[in-house]
């Protein structure tokens, strides 16, 4: 069965800190790994990493994929209070199914 | 336009009621999904439609009945639900495989 494990489950930091969120996975016939940010409502898409795109960056957020060691990290630099959210990692194997980890709840205090 | 719209945003129903949740996307995406999310838990897949055909049913109880009338619309018919079915129901769509999913804002369902 496909499995996604995120760590830590929660994290409290101060504005300006840099954080690293972890995601490890076991999936049959890996196709992609996705990061989402969820505040009060729907998850919003951040990055998709595949065999042909193992590193992504957008502003203060960046992510890498290590296909050999089966993990990904999401980095957020110079955190702001608006970064407070649950960050979800999800993987796709050989089917349409997207399997989510339990998420990391990030709280950024002023 | 990267929007998935869901209606209603909130729904309260009794255990004997029949209601429906609706989802619409106009991005030309070929796959549409229903997820269920309980408080402080990740989304759990319920159904996947690919090219308007049901491709995945994650052993969901028959009191939930999905329907895909066309490539832009996805419904979830609800009947004889239980209080434990109260949750946020998220619809999503994706262009291709293994592309990203775009989520709607969800329908928050309360079963009394």
């Amino acid at each position: 069965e496909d499995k996604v494990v995120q760590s830590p489950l929660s994290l409290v930091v101060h504005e300006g800190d840099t954080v690293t969120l972890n995601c490890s996975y076991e999936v049959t016939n890996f196709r992609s790994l996705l990061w989402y940010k969820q505040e009060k409502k729907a998850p919003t898409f951040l990055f998709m990493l595949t065999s042909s795109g193992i590193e992504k960056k957008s502003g203060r957020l960046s992510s890498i994929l290590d296909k050999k060691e089966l993990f990904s990290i999401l980095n957020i630099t110079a955190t702001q209070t608006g970064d407070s959210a649950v960050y979800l990692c999800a993987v796709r194997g050989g089917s349409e199914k997207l399997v989510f980890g339990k998420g990391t709840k990030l709280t950024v205090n002023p | 336009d990267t929007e998935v719209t869901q209606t209603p945003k909130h729904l309260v129903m009794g255990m004997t009621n029949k209601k429906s949740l609706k989802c619409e996307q106009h991005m030309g995406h070929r796959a549409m999904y229903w997820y269920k999310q309980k408080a402080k838990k990740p989304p759990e897949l319920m159904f996947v439609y690919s090219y308007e055909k049901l491709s995945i049913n994650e052993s969901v109880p028959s009191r939930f009945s999905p329907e895909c009338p066309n490539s832009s619309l996805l419904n979830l018919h609800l009947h004889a639900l239980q209080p434990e079915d109260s949750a946020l129901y998220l619809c999503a769509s994706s262009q291709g495989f293994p592309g990203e999913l775009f989520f709607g804002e969800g329908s928050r369902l309360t079963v009394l």
Side-chain angles (χ1 to χ4, degrees), chain B residues 23 25 30-33 47-49 71-74 91-93:
Chain B
C23 175
Q25 58 91 9
R30 67 163 185 83
M32 296 185 76
Y33 307 73
F47 303 104
V48 181
Y49 274 82
S71 58
S72 301
L73 293 174
L74 185 66
C91 174
S93 69

Side-chain angles (χ1 to χ4, degrees), chain A residues 32-36 45-48 56 92 98, chain B residues 2 29 31 33 92-103:
Chain A
S32 59
L33 184 146
L34 293 86
W35 284 97
Y36 285 86
F45 172 73
L46 295 175
F47 298 119
M48 183 173 75
K56 293 285 174 79
R92 238 170 160 168
L98 189 66
Chain B
T2 56
H29 288 176
Y33 307 73
S93 69
S94 69
Q95 166 70 337
F97 177 72
E100 62 267 39
L101 271 64
F102 293 95
F103 284 87

Side-chain angles (χ1 to χ4, degrees), chain B residues 51-88:
Chain B
Y51 292 108
E52 301 169 43
K53 288 191 177 358
L54 184 64
S55 60
I56 297 178
N57 176 345
E58 288 287 287
S59 303
V60 179
S62 60
R63 58 186 184 269
F64 295 91
S65 174
E67 179 197 18
C68 189
N70 60 55
S71 58
S72 301
L73 293 174
L74 185 66
N75 298 321
L76 186 63
H77 302 298
L78 315 170
H79 175 54
L81 295 193
Q82 305 296 311
E84 58 264 29
D85 296 322
S86 298
L88 181 68

Side-chain angles (χ1 to χ4, degrees), chain A:
Chain A
E1 186 177 321
D2 298 342
K3 192 173 162 185
V4 179
V5 178
Q6 292 187 245
S7 65
L9 291 181
S10 68
L11 189 55
V12 180
V13 301
H14 289 104
E15 265 192 319
D17 288 350
T18 293
V19 298
T20 299
L21 310 183
N22 303 294
C23 176
S24 63
Y25 63 90
E26 294 174 25
V27 63
T28 304
N29 194 17
F30 172 86
R31 299 300 292 270
S32 59
L33 184 146
L34 293 86
W35 284 97
Y36 285 86
K37 176 183 181 182
Q38 187 172 27
E39 297 172 86
K40 293 203 186 306
K41 295 186 177 177
T44 52
F45 172 73
L46 295 175
F47 298 119
M48 183 173 75
L49 301 155
T50 65
S51 299
S52 56
I54 61 171
E55 192 166 345
K56 293 285 174 79
K57 183 174 170 62
S58 176
R60 296 178 295 103
L61 276 67
S62 62
S63 182
I64 62 169
L65 173 69
D66 187 324
K67 269 200 71 182
K68 185 179 175 186
E69 300 298 329
L70 307 184
F71 77 86
S72 174
I73 62 171
L74 176 68
N75 272 326
I76 309 175
T77 59
T79 51
Q80 302 171 356
T81 54
D83 295 326
S84 296
V86 174
Y87 290 84
L88 294 164
C89 173
V91 293
R92 238 170 160 168
S95 75
E96 299 276 11
K97 187 174 175 178
L98 189 66
V99 178
F100 284 86
K102 291 186 176 181
T104 293
K105 182 178 180 181
L106 174 65
T107 303
V108 181
N109 290 324

